[in-house]
Amino acid sequence: MPAALSHQPETRRTRLIAIGLMCAAVICFSALDTSAKWLGHGMDPLQVVFARYAGSMILVSLLLNPWSHPGILHTRRPWLQAFRSLLLLGSTALNFFALQYLQLAETVSIMFATPLLVALVSGPLLGEWPGPRRMVAIGIGFLGVIVVARPGVGGMHPAALLSVISVFCYAFYSLSTRILAAYDPPETTMVYSGAAGTIAMIPVIPFVWTWPDGLSWGLMIFAGAMGGIGHWLLILAHRLAPATVLAPFIYSQIIWMIALGYLVFGQLPDRWTFIGAAIVIASGLYLLYRERVRAVPEGSARLD
């Protein structure tokens, strides 16, 4: 049997494992947002943010630390690491504030616009200019966000604006992650993400802290664990398969968010959220399709 054929079953199996890890990560993030929404009813969202980062940092430190991984704290781009971590912190905080007023499915539908924004700003920042077809897809995707948020027509709560700003933070976080990948290993970047978020929240906590009851303590620990495990699963998934294979499965999160929103809060999204989410998801999938089928000559800076 030729060598190329002998590796095909293993490659297929590896990709299936990576897809499974991606789907598991999405479930973790859905559980994290559900916990944050529940906790936000009885405590300041900033306290929930602190719980998410502190719990994640503790969990990550057990797996990744200078004793088990010497040199893990060494970074070639410390300022970019700090900036990236603060972007993720800002995105998380804005999302948790928005979850006080919005349904789970509404916030995630808006967050699905992140790949569209990344594709749009990759041109001026990274020289990866989208072509006309991709630009049309990006424009249609943002139209889907408007359908979900329905600004100025008595639709969604004004907190939807927080989700939109969160998308901008997460998009630039994603871009900085791509840049850092050329300088630091993902484990180093993951350690800095949790540590920077925790340290940045420590001065704020005395002003917002309220003593949690037993259930709230459990949910705070659970939220931190889900954040840390989710990001770790993402790293493992991307080690086994390229992003173009994994990215479509991110959209499976809408299923879990709708299910958890109904089971935990008794909420179902309205038809406009479904329509807008479908538009955003379709646009994102089309962008992924163009990345996979469009052959870009080596050295070309244009993506279509």
Side-chain angles (χ1 to χ4, degrees), residues 261-277:
Y262 177 72
L263 293 174
V264 179
F265 304 105
Q267 298 175 336
L268 282 174
D270 60 23
R271 60 177 178 174
W272 296 110
T273 301
F274 279 114
I275 293 172

Side-chain angles (χ1 to χ4, degrees), residues 22-163:
M22 172 61 77
C23 292
V26 164
I27 294 173
C28 288
F29 295 140
S30 300
L32 167 61
D33 280 359
T34 304
S35 303
K37 183 173 177 62
W38 181 281
L39 289 168
H41 292 154
M43 65 177 61
D44 194 292
L46 292 178
Q47 184 173 340
V48 186
V49 173
F50 175 75
R52 178 257 182 271
Y53 277 95
S56 178
M57 185 185 71
I58 293 172
L59 180 64
V60 170
S61 297
L62 295 176
L63 300 171
L64 304 172
N65 54 69
W67 295 274
S68 62
H69 293 73
I72 194 169
L73 297 180
H74 175 72
T75 172
R76 295 166 60 189
R77 300 293 296 273
W79 290 108
L80 185 57
Q81 283 283 7
F83 180 64
R84 172 192 172 277
S85 299
L86 291 178
L87 285 172
L88 180 59
L89 175 62
S91 178
T92 302
L94 289 166
N95 185 49
F96 284 6
F97 273 104
L99 282 170
Q100 286 187 300
Y101 308 100
L102 305 182
Q103 295 183 17
L104 293 170
E106 292 170 341
T107 58
V108 77
S109 296
I110 296 173
M111 288 301 295
F112 281 160
T114 301
L116 308 176
L117 185 58
V118 169
L120 184 63
V121 301
S122 289
L125 293 182
L126 301 180
E128 300 173 354
W129 294 96
R133 295 180 184 178
R134 285 164 56 89
M135 286 298 296
V136 170
I138 292 169
I140 293 174
F142 286 130
L143 178 62
V145 174
I146 294 175
V147 171
V148 174
R150 304 187 301 285
V153 294
M156 193 178 293
H157 193 281
L161 179 61
L162 298 177
S163 288

